[in-house]
Amino acid sequence: MSTAQALVARNGASALSLREVARELNMASSAIYRYFATRDELLTTLIVNAYNDMGAAVEKADAKLSTAGHRERFVGVARAVRRWALRHPHDYALIFGTPVSGYVAPAGTIVAATRVSAVLGRILSQAEADTTTASPSAAERAMVDVDAVTAVTGPLSGPRVIDALSAWSAIYGLISFELFGHFVGSVKKNDTFFDAALHSWADRFGLPN
Amino acid sequence: MSTAQALVARNGASALSLREVARELNMASSAIYRYFATRDELLTTLIVNAYNDMGAAVEKADAKLSTAGHRERFVGVARAVRRWALRHPHDYALIFGTPVSGYVAPAGTIVAATRVSAVLGRILSQAEADTTTASPSAAERAMVDVDAVTAVTGPLSGPRVIDALSAWSAIYGLISFELFGHFVGSVKKNDTFFDAALHSWADRFGLPN
DNA sequence: TAGAATCAAGAGCAGTGCTCGCATTTTTTG
DNA sequence: CAAAAAATGCGAGCACTGCTCTTGATTCTA
């Protein structure tokens, strides 16, 4: 398992070879099939691990910021996501890159997958609790499963639950563009650019400070 | 070439087999190597094609909206991007998904790659021209290559060149999350959600109407 | 028309995921 | 404690992949 992890970290998921992990383990390639029915099953396990690793890292960063203001916390958590991505590019690609072949997200992944978006959502929910909370409109309920979201984030007003999802996907977009090279030629300092984009989001959310 | 295109559209890029396109063409697999030195070279060609296909589609949509207001145009063009992605999911993944292996973007791709971001940038530039244009600050110039961006978009004020890049990556984030399944369980109506998120961006840019 | 450049074929190499039958260990059970 | 049962591993082998190399046609060109 950890052997496969290391190989992915070195060469990327697409290059992961069942026979190679077998070799590294001094096993026959066929022996691996006692533990993983198929190569995709191995990858799925790796995906869950990666989700949890990222989730743990982000939760830890959030815990350290528990006394900070909402803006600082929001930006700090997003930074933690980016930092994890830069440190584990292949795991990041494994999670957020092109899904393999047919791919339907196995049930086991979904709980691990929500860990980091939950942290971000909770911050926004708490920031909102300091002001007012208008309940979501019918139109908003039609396009988003408000209950499913607020079950993990805490209460969020209508526009904000939309913006929260939008912000999370935007953070993903920023990191992916950086990591996958789509900012080459336009963005020069990725750190400060990321921060600037995030503060713009914080402005949008009206986060103080 | 178009055979490979069709196979990618059917099975995705990772499953593209040189031997399969050879079979489809009633050729020996070795004959393909007269035209493409390696599988990656074939894929690179497909990437350029996909970029241009998407660029053409978006430019066409923009042309149809030439008489519309800036907000309508901005939203309309973004919708065109999404529509193209939904219609060509494998080509989209080929462009914006996990870059293959070592991957350094070949020189040929970059011009094709900027076509759609250029359209979006031009709209924002023109919208700004209707109001005022403050030139970018030193801090902004430090993190973004302003000249490279404005060379293709037209003049943009400092904060806006950052927000424009941020918006483009956010649009990518929205589409990718939808296409790669990360919105499953939270977003119910992808169309209206996408529109809502975009109008939120239009608000941020102060686009009238 | 002769020479040269191009195009295609086929055999073959090393690698892959995966299956199957057989042996060996380990664990459970009577 | 011994026997049955389950788990674990091995090696050969199949069909597939990207890619190389040599050989044979075809077509363009001087």
Side-chain angles (χ1 to χ4, degrees), chain B residues 63-127:
Chain B
K64 273 192 185 160
L65 291 165
S66 59
T67 64
H70 292 135
R71 184 186 208 93
E72 199 181 334
R73 218 168 141 193
F74 175 78
V75 174
V77 163
R79 274 205 202 112
V81 179
R82 173 168 176 266
R83 197 164 31 219
W84 184 88
L86 292 180
R87 282 216 249 267
H88 309 84
H90 287 121
D91 297 73
Y92 181 85
L94 188 60
I95 298 180
F96 291 113
T98 316
V100 269
S101 62
Y103 191 75
V104 268
T109 64
I110 47 180
V111 43
T114 47
R115 282 176 70 173
V116 4
S117 51
V119 172
L120 276 166
R122 263 190 304 258
I123 294 173
L124 295 176
S125 172
Q126 287 171 27

Side-chain angles (χ1 to χ4, degrees), chain A residues 11 14 51 90 93-101 103 105 139 141-146 148-149 161-163 165-166 168-170 172-174 176-177 179-183 185-190 192-194 196-197 200-201 204, chain B residues 11 14 51 90 93-101 103 105 139 141-146 148-149 161-163 165-166 168-170 172-174 176-177 179-183 185-190 192-194 196-197 200-201 204:
Chain A
N11 306 322
S14 65
Y51 266 127
H90 287 122
L94 188 60
I95 298 180
F96 291 112
T98 316
V100 269
S101 60
Y103 193 74
R141 287 192 171 277
M143 67 177 101
V144 166
D145 192 336
V146 176
V149 174
V161 56
I162 292 176
D163 276 344
L165 286 167
S166 184
W168 168 224
S169 76
Y172 154 82
L174 286 168
S176 296
F177 263 23
L179 221 53
F180 297 165
H182 293 285
F183 274 148
S186 49
V187 175
K188 296 198 293 189
K189 292 257 182 271
N190 282 296
T192 50
F193 173 77
F194 185 77
S200 186
W201 273 101
R204 188 137 135 210
Chain B
N11 306 321
S14 64
Y51 266 127
H90 287 121
L94 188 60
I95 298 180
F96 291 113
T98 316
V100 269
S101 62
Y103 191 75
R141 288 190 171 276
M143 65 178 101
V144 167
D145 192 336
V146 175
V149 174
V161 56
I162 292 176
D163 276 344
L165 286 168
S166 184
W168 167 224
S169 75
Y172 154 81
L174 287 168
S176 297
F177 263 23
L179 222 53
F180 297 164
H182 293 285
F183 274 148
S186 48
V187 175
K188 296 197 294 188
K189 292 255 181 272
N190 283 296
T192 50
F193 174 77
F194 185 77
S200 184
W201 273 101
R204 190 139 136 207

